[in-house]
Amino acid sequence: MTTFVDRATLFLAAGKGGDGCVSIHREKFKPFGGPDGGNGGRGGDIILIVDRDTTTLLDYHRSPHRRSTNGGLGYGDFCNGKEGKDLILPVPNGTVVKNLAGEVIIDLVGIGTQFIAAQGGKGGLGNAALASSKRHAPGFALKGEPGEERTLILELKSVADIALVGFPSAGKSSLVASISAARPKIADYPFTTLVPNLGVVQAGDTRFTVADVPGLIPGASEGKGLGLEFLRHVERCAALVHVLDCGTLESDRDPIKDFELIEEELKLYGGLSDRPRIIALNKIDLPAAQPDKFAAELAKLIGCKPEDVLRVSGKTGEGVADLLDEIVAQIPAPVGNKDGATRALIFDSVYDSYRGVVTYVRVVDGHLSTRDQIQMMSTGVRHEMLEVGVISPEPVPSKGLGVGEVGYLITGVKDVRQSRVGDTVTTYVRPAKDQL
């Protein structure tokens, strides 16, 4: 039975807007009550949201067709129809949303990040809303708009800082188990690891995530073995750790050949040439291991010192501390800092009939708080924030947003074109001469 799915196709249909109502107010002693038909309710949206507890796209592989509810019909006596309920679809952190042409629509990174995958239709206006000075009692109402229908492709790219790559049975899973609380399947036969395993490592004051990728073999780029399908999970990594088996008993293999073949497969995959490499000779506890010999040959091959090639044992833990020190040195420092200049990226904006445009942002630097004056980088237009909130997972008002937090802003803007996706929000500081 399939338990891990990192690619799925979704067929989405958002809710239809409810129809408006045609109604004339009837009451004793009021012969000309006038129109009182209410508006139809809006259709429900379909929203993708990054959820901490979701790790696979299995649910969408099994049930790819999803539909949100329609808006209710309008009624007389100025009663508007019930709004359709939004359909919330949780996805793993690192999910990439693409269209059928393969173009990336959005990259969902960060717990609470959300994206409206299909927008519900607007409700139709009732005859009360259509009344004018020239048409006092319209005998018609507007139909609700159909909901958006879309077909999207979801791809999961694991959010890991470090990736372990190597041949099958090189000891990658044992290494992950020795440095983290993860317990991947470990056995003495090839392709024990069939899906990526993630482990969280605490090394001093640094916490990072390491990914154990299924083993690669020559011809993986042509589909041999498990192919290169799972290498998408290492695209976000800051560095790659080559785990080389220096105690192998196979006559046609040695760490030098393994390193060259894996590098060739990574080159054929593409996009990973700029990642720093850390070389770790594993299984030095085995009697047949020759770590010093292979370290000297690898150092000559890549142009480094023999002591730069690490010797480790995932079973006994020998050399693991040195490996962690080297990994920590390769992990970049956090981009944001809470005392820096404020900068937030807009990843979605939605019009709400009651509150105006709701802008969803991820804070990269600084801090956003209510009553701050913000400025759009692309246009230079300034707005005063009326409300700030976090998403956990539902939107909740708060005093502000800090570095790395995902939330929403309300500025009173009525046009979504003034809050464009991809734009950057900064805080505006009034010049000193304006304060005089």
Side-chain angles (χ1 to χ4, degrees):
M1 179 183 291
T2 302
T3 58
F4 181 87
V5 173
D6 60 358
R7 182 183 172 92
T9 301
L10 275 181
F11 303 93
L12 307 177
K16 174 185 177 299
D19 297 338
C21 175
V22 179
S23 175
I24 301 297
H25 184 72
R26 300 181 184 279
E27 186 177 346
K28 192 175 183 180
F29 305 121
K30 287 188 178 181
F32 301 104
D36 65 351
N39 302 331
R42 70 168 182 85
D45 298 332
I46 300 180
I47 302 173
L48 304 179
I49 185 167
V50 177
D51 179 51
R52 186 186 308 276
D53 299 324
T54 304
T55 58
T56 176
L57 300 173
L58 179 61
D59 287 347
Y60 309 123
H61 173 74
R62 291 173 172 170
S63 304
H65 295 271
R66 302 297 176 110
R67 180 183 296 273
S68 57
T69 58
N70 297 330
L73 301 175
Y75 295 93
D77 202 17
F78 301 101
C79 292
N80 293 332
K82 183 180 179 180
E83 292 190 349
K85 186 177 181 180
D86 294 339
L87 179 62
I88 306 297
L89 301 180
V91 296
N93 192 16
T95 299
V96 179
V97 183
K98 299 180 179 181
N99 58 20
L100 290 177
E103 300 169 342
V104 175
I105 300 175
I106 190 170
D107 191 355
L108 299 173
V109 178
I111 303 302
T113 302
Q114 63 179 4
F115 167 65
I116 298 181
Q119 196 158 15
K122 295 180 180 179
L125 297 178
N127 65 339
L130 297 173
S132 66
S133 59
K134 294 183 178 180
R135 183 185 291 118
H136 299 286
F140 61 93
L142 300 184
K143 296 282 189 180
E145 295 182 359
E148 187 178 11
E149 295 187 6
R150 300 180 76 177
T151 300
L152 299 176
I153 298 173
L154 304 184
E155 284 187 357
L156 174 59
K157 294 182 180 179
S158 300
V159 182
D161 301 301
I162 301 295
L164 307 184
V165 295
F167 265 67
S169 298
K172 301 184 295 298
S173 297
S174 299
L175 204 53
V176 169
S178 68
I179 62 178
S180 73
R183 291 295 176 264
K185 182 178 180 181
I186 299 173
D188 58 354
Y189 54 83
F191 296 112
T192 308
T193 302
L194 298 178
V195 299
N197 294 308
L198 296 182
V200 178
V201 183
Q202 185 74 42
D205 296 330
T206 304
R207 175 177 291 186
F208 59 91
T209 306
V210 61
D212 168 24
V213 182
L216 301 175
I217 63 173
S221 58
E222 301 171 359
K224 294 183 179 179
L226 294 177
L228 299 179
E229 181 69 17
F230 291 114
L231 276 184
R232 75 163 71 97
H233 294 277
V234 309
E235 290 183 10
R236 304 182 194 274
C237 296
L240 302 178
V241 178
H242 274 280
V243 181
L244 304 174
D245 184 355
C246 68
T248 181
L249 298 177
E250 298 180 34
S251 58
D252 59 339
R253 278 185 55 198
D254 63 61
I256 311 302
K257 293 180 180 178
D258 290 358
F259 176 80
E260 292 177 330
L261 290 171
I262 295 298
E263 278 293 320
E264 181 63 24
E265 294 300 324
L266 294 176
K267 181 180 179 181
L268 292 173
Y269 180 80
L272 299 172
S273 59
D274 60 335
R275 303 296 194 281
R277 265 61 165 175
I278 300 173
I279 302 176
L281 290 170
N282 194 21
K283 302 184 181 181
I284 61 174
D285 57 294
L286 296 180
Q290 303 179 50
D292 294 335
K293 171 190 173 184
F294 291 125
E297 294 181 15
L298 282 168
K300 183 178 180 181
L301 176 66
I302 63 178
C304 69
K305 299 178 180 178
E307 52 267 27
D308 292 336
V309 179
L310 303 176
R311 293 99 159 153
V312 301
S313 171
K315 182 177 181 179
T316 66
E318 184 180 354
V320 170
D322 294 334
L323 174 61
L324 292 179
D325 290 340
E326 184 64 28
I327 290 175
V328 169
Q330 297 294 342
I331 297 176
V335 177
N337 64 84
K338 62 182 180 181
D339 299 322
T342 299
R343 186 164 61 97
L345 301 179
I346 299 175
F347 62 84
D348 200 6
S349 58
V350 181
Y351 177 75
D352 185 283
S353 57
Y354 298 102
R355 299 183 295 174
V357 175
V358 181
T359 303
Y360 295 95
V361 299
R362 184 186 302 112
V363 179
V364 179
D365 295 286
H367 184 271
L368 288 172
S369 59
T370 308
R371 299 301 176 184
D372 277 351
Q373 199 169 44
I374 60 173
Q375 184 172 358
M376 302 295 175
M377 290 287 288
S378 63
T379 62
V381 177
R382 296 191 291 270
H383 307 284
E384 184 174 349
M385 288 194 294
L386 305 178
E387 183 181 324
V388 180
V390 296
I391 304 173
S392 60
E394 298 295 330
V396 179
S398 68
K399 294 182 179 179
L401 296 174
V403 174
E405 289 189 306
V406 175
Y408 68 91
L409 314 174
I410 296 177
T411 60
V413 174
K414 300 297 182 182
D415 188 350
V416 293
R417 290 175 294 182
Q418 297 182 30
S419 182
R420 294 184 295 182
V421 175
D423 201 355
T424 302
V425 174
T426 62
T427 51
Y428 174 73
V429 180
R430 190 185 300 275
K433 63 179 181 180
D434 292 346
Q435 299 176 355
L436 299 177

